[in-house]
């Protein structure tokens, strides 16, 4: 008698059901990664080019040794980021390549968020936290911004996962992997030091029985990280930013509290009713998770907060929300835990709350940075292309460019021999040093005035074609909102260059350009140093504090 065939083994529906039951977390994470990767890939060039991206790519044009010299001795900051910029520049990938690096690290961070959520809570928390992190403005924007912040998020996650693995498994190998991840984190951003300190606090509070071996590993990182600490000191010496740089000054606990509130908004959604609800869920989640997770969350948030409060005694810190991007995974995990706690008796409420928060996050990202979704205006794109073509055709290799204007990228894409000398617009010491290094006679000076810049009192897509005085010393061309100014003859000497640069900034002031005042201060301080009013470049730097 023939036995009935076993059909369930070949039943696609049953196989899919088993696959979903076993791997639903990672299938969900894969969907989240695919959605974020699709968005970032499609919108990679939606946001207009930024001067910080231009800076990275122009620094990256130098040789490897030149980049190391520039970053470690002159500029400071983020060696690992500039290494990627060097690779992108020498591969000829330009802005799109630099942004693709940011997008790749943003997407790579999402599985790491899931792993951290799985380690600190459970699978449901891990999946919801991954979705919340993926729709955050902090991740979406910095996924297309060609700077170091998505890299910083990724390396900080690797550092935390490496630490937790080392605490779980013991052994020199596990601690070596953590040390490598931690060094990558501190090589990515000066705030990596805050990640390191928060990890030390976490170990001391939650794993005191492992203090001895942890102390050896932390000591090794402190020693191996000396080149990065020195690089951070170079950056602090240039701008006196301490642990901040770029945002509003934090002069006391109330300023720190307001800064943390704004940062929480950028990590989730910044409208106060939504943010209050989000923080309430996070607080509930904090009360729900186990002690180890609570200690980790307290260390991640508390160490930066205390650092900002203490730093006001030594300097005026001015961080922006992006500097705390490493808090994003922890906040997402706590909010996810809070959602599950609220919906414990009504499980159907969890997906509803999650969907509402995801929608609010995307809406906030759109509100926060409209071009990320709407693209740069067509008229500005066309004007930028025309101006880039003009710069490529008119520039000479010995020209001196002022500021890391995004238009230089358009010129460089068309002309590989585009000028390399760029004077920073906010660092008089480095600007004068660049001028003194230039071959004599100095070449033409080139400036850009952008009437559409968001820092201007008024924005325009059609700037008036006006020349600095004396008009005979300059050639001026207007392209939509961009006024490209070039000296009629080589500037010859630093003195002549700085005089003409000052005339350009006076024109910028009259046109309401927001950067003109900063630029003028740089020019004036460089001229004072050139004339001997500052006894050395170091005293010039000190006088700017």
């Amino acid at each position: 008698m023939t036995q009935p065939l076993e059909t369930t083994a070949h039943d696609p529906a049953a196989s899919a059901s088993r696959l979903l039951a076993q791997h639903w977390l990672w299938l969900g994470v894969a969907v989240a990664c695919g959605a974020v990767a699709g968005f970032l890939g499609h919108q990679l060039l939606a946001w207009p080019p930024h001067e910080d991206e231009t800076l990275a790519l122009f620094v990256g044009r130098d040789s490897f040794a030149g980049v190391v010299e520039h970053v470690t001795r002159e500029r400071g900051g983020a060696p690992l980021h500039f290494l990627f910029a060097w690779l992108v520049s020498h591969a000829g990938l330009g802005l799109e390549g630099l942004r693709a690096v940011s997008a790749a690290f943003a997407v790579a961070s999402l599985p790491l968020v899931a792993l951290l959520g799985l380690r600190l809570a459970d699978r449901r928390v891990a999946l919801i936290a991954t979705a919340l992190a993926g729709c955050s403005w902090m991740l979406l924007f910095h996924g297309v911004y060609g700077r170091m912040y998505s890299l910083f998020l990724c390396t900080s996650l690797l550092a935390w996962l490496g630490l937790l693995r080392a605490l779980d498994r013991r052994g020199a190998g596990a601690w070596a992997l953590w040390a490598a991840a931690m060094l990558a984190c501190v090589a990515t951003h000066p705030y990596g030091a805050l990640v390191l300190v928060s990890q030390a606090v976490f170990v001391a509070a939650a794993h005191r029985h492992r203090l001895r071996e942890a102390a050896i590993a932390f000591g090794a990182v402190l020693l191996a990280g000396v080149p990065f600490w020195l690089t951070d000191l170079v950056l602090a010496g240039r701008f006196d930013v301490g642990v901040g740089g770029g945002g509003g000054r934090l002069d006391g606990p109330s300023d720190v509290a307001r800064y943390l509130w704004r940062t929480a908004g950028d990590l989730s959604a910044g409208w106060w009713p939504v943010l209050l609800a989000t923080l309430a869920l996070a607080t509930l989640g904090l009360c729900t998770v186990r002690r180890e997770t609570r200690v980790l969350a307290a260390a991640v948030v508390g160490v930066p907060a205390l650092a900002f409060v203490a730093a006001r005694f030594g300097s005026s810190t001015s961080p922006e929300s992006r500097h705390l991007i490493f808090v994003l995974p922890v906040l997402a995990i706590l909010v996810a835990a809070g959602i599950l706690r609220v919906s414990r008796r009504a499980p159907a409420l969890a997906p509803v709350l999650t969907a509402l928060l995801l929608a609010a996050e995307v809406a906030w990202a759109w509100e926060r940075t409209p071009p990320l979704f709407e693209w740069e205006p067509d008229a500005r794109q066309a004007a930028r292309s025309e101006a880039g073509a003009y710069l490529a055709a008119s520039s000479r290799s010995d020209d001196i460019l002022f500021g890391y204007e995004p238009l230089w990228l358009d010129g460089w894409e068309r002309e590989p021999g585009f000028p390399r000398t760029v004077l920073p617009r906010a660092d008089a010491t480095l600007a004068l040093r660049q001028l003194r290094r230039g071959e004599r006679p100095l070449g033409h000076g080139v400036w850009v005035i952008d009437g559409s810049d968001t820092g201007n009192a008024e924005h325009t897509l059609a700037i008036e074609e006006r020349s600095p005085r004396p008009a005979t010393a300059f050639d001026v061309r207007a392209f939509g909102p961009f006024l490209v100014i070039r000296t009629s003859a080589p500037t010859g000497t630093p003195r002549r260059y700085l005089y003409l640069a000052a005339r350009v900034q006076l024109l910028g002031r009259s046109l309401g350009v927001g950067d003109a005042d900063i630029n003028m201060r740089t020019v004036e301080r460089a001229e004072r140093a050139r004339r001997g009013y500052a006894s050395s470049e170091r005293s010039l730097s000190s006088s700017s504090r």
Side-chain angles (χ1 to χ4, degrees):
M1 186 174 181
T2 305
Q3 295 294 326
L5 296 175
E6 184 65 49
T7 58
T8 57
H10 303 286
D11 184 355
S15 298
S17 179
R18 285 196 300 272
L19 181 67
L20 184 61
Q22 294 172 3
H23 304 291
W24 60 265
L25 169 60
W26 297 111
L27 289 172
V29 171
V31 170
C33 290
V36 172
F39 175 83
L40 296 180
H42 188 270
Q43 302 297 112
L44 197 64
L45 298 177
W47 191 59
H50 191 271
E51 64 178 321
D52 290 331
E53 297 170 312
T54 308
L55 185 156
L57 289 169
F58 266 70
V59 169
R61 294 177 69 185
D62 205 345
S63 65
F64 179 76
V67 171
V68 172
E69 172 81 8
H70 186 80
V71 174
T72 59
R73 298 190 61 182
E74 292 188 342
R75 178 163 295 281
L80 192 56
H81 167 63
F82 282 102
L83 173 60
F84 280 106
W86 175 79
L87 291 170
V88 168
S89 294
H90 285 264
L93 299 178
L95 177 64
E96 189 169 5
L98 189 66
R99 289 189 170 184
V101 171
S102 289
F105 280 108
V107 174
S109 297
L110 294 179
L112 301 180
V113 173
L115 285 171
L116 187 64
L118 194 60
R119 171 61 177 76
L120 296 178
D122 57 35
R123 292 199 297 173
R124 294 182 300 163
V125 168
L127 181 58
I128 295 173
T130 302
L132 292 173
C135 289
S136 166
W137 170 85
M138 191 70 75
L139 185 133
L140 294 178
F141 174 66
H142 293 97
V144 301
Y145 189 15
R147 293 196 71 192
M148 71 289 292
Y149 291 98
S150 63
L151 175 61
F152 187 29
L153 173 63
C154 189
T155 55
S156 65
L157 277 163
L158 287 172
W160 273 110
L161 289 168
L163 177 65
L164 292 170
R165 182 177 182 272
L167 292 170
D168 289 341
R169 298 193 178 189
R170 305 190 178 191
W175 282 109
L177 287 174
W178 166 77
M182 192 66 250
L183 287 171
C185 182
V186 299
T188 299
H189 197 282
Y191 276 51
L194 294 180
V195 177
L196 180 62
V197 174
S198 65
Q199 292 192 344
V201 171
F202 167 71
V203 173
H207 293 273
R208 278 174 285 188
H209 61 290
R210 308 296 298 278
L211 275 178
R212 183 175 180 180
E213 60 188 278
I216 295 172
F218 274 76
V221 168
L222 288 173
L223 184 61
V226 165
F228 307 129
W229 314 135
L230 294 177
T231 300
D232 295 342
L233 288 175
V234 171
L235 178 65
R238 289 177 60 230
F239 295 112
D240 192 27
V241 295
V243 292
R249 290 185 176 181
L250 306 183
D251 293 324
S254 60
D255 286 343
V256 172
R258 283 191 290 270
Y259 164 69
L260 293 176
W261 171 267
R262 293 193 303 270
T263 298
D266 284 343
L267 294 172
S268 53
W271 294 294
W272 71 264
V274 181
L275 183 53
L276 274 179
T278 300
L279 293 179
L281 288 170
T283 302
L284 181 60
L286 186 66
C287 298
T288 302
V289 295
R290 59 179 179 267
R291 178 181 179 276
E292 181 191 41
T293 306
R294 292 199 298 271
V295 173
L296 189 150
V300 168
V301 177
V303 166
L306 291 175
F308 294 142
V309 171
R312 80 182 193 276
F313 296 111
S315 62
S316 294
T317 59
S318 50
E320 296 186 17
S321 61
R322 61 176 180 250
H323 294 117
L324 294 189
I325 192 171
F326 57 86
V327 178
L328 173 61
V330 174
L331 179 63
I333 288 169
L334 294 180
V335 173
I339 289 174
L340 292 175
R341 181 65 179 83
V342 166
S343 58
R344 185 176 59 177
R345 296 185 179 180
L349 186 59
V352 174
L353 288 176
T354 302
L356 289 174
L357 285 181
L358 294 179
E361 286 185 342
V362 173
W364 176 252
W366 201 321
E367 171 77 15
R368 186 78 161 79
T369 312
L372 179 60
F373 295 83
E374 300 169 3
W375 291 75
E376 182 183 8
D378 291 342
R380 194 175 189 274
Q381 291 186 56
R384 188 156 51 80
S385 178
E386 293 174 5
Y390 168 73
L391 285 167
S394 62
S395 296
R396 296 174 51 179
S397 61
D398 64 345
D399 285 352
I400 302 170
L401 312 176
F402 189 90
Y404 287 93
E405 295 289 345
L407 279 186
W408 307 149
L409 290 177
D410 293 89
W412 177 25
E413 288 177 356
R414 292 172 170 81
E415 175 51 59
F418 198 71
R420 291 175 175 266
T421 303
V422 184
L423 305 188
R425 67 179 183 85
D427 186 341
T429 300
L430 190 52
L432 182 60
R433 192 179 302 162
Q434 294 278 65
L435 280 177
R436 286 174 170 169
R437 284 178 182 169
E439 295 183 5
R440 299 293 191 274
L442 296 176
H444 294 73
V446 187
W447 299 264
V448 170
I449 292 177
D450 183 0
S452 61
D453 189 88
T454 55
N456 297 350
E458 296 182 2
H459 309 153
T460 180
L461 290 177
I463 198 168
E464 181 182 355
E465 187 171 305
R466 289 170 52 188
S467 174
R469 296 183 181 278
T472 55
F474 300 95
D475 295 325
V476 179
R477 291 284 299 273
F479 302 90
F482 305 110
L483 196 62
V484 179
I485 302 172
R486 176 181 171 84
T487 58
S488 303
T491 54
T493 65
R495 177 180 180 275
R496 176 68 174 167
Y497 174 87
L498 291 170
Y499 167 75
L500 295 174
R503 306 305 300 181
V504 172
Q505 302 316 317
L506 289 174
L507 174 64
R509 280 179 175 174
S510 70
L511 292 172
V513 174
D515 289 339
D517 288 335
I518 296 175
N519 298 343
M520 180 62 87
R521 283 197 297 272
T522 298
V523 171
E524 289 174 343
R525 288 170 176 169
E527 173 59 14
R528 285 178 60 83
R530 188 198 65 79
R531 294 168 62 185
Y533 285 100
S535 60
S536 67
E537 292 182 355
R538 178 172 296 183
S539 64
L540 170 63
S541 179
S542 299
S543 69
S544 66
R545 298 179 182 181

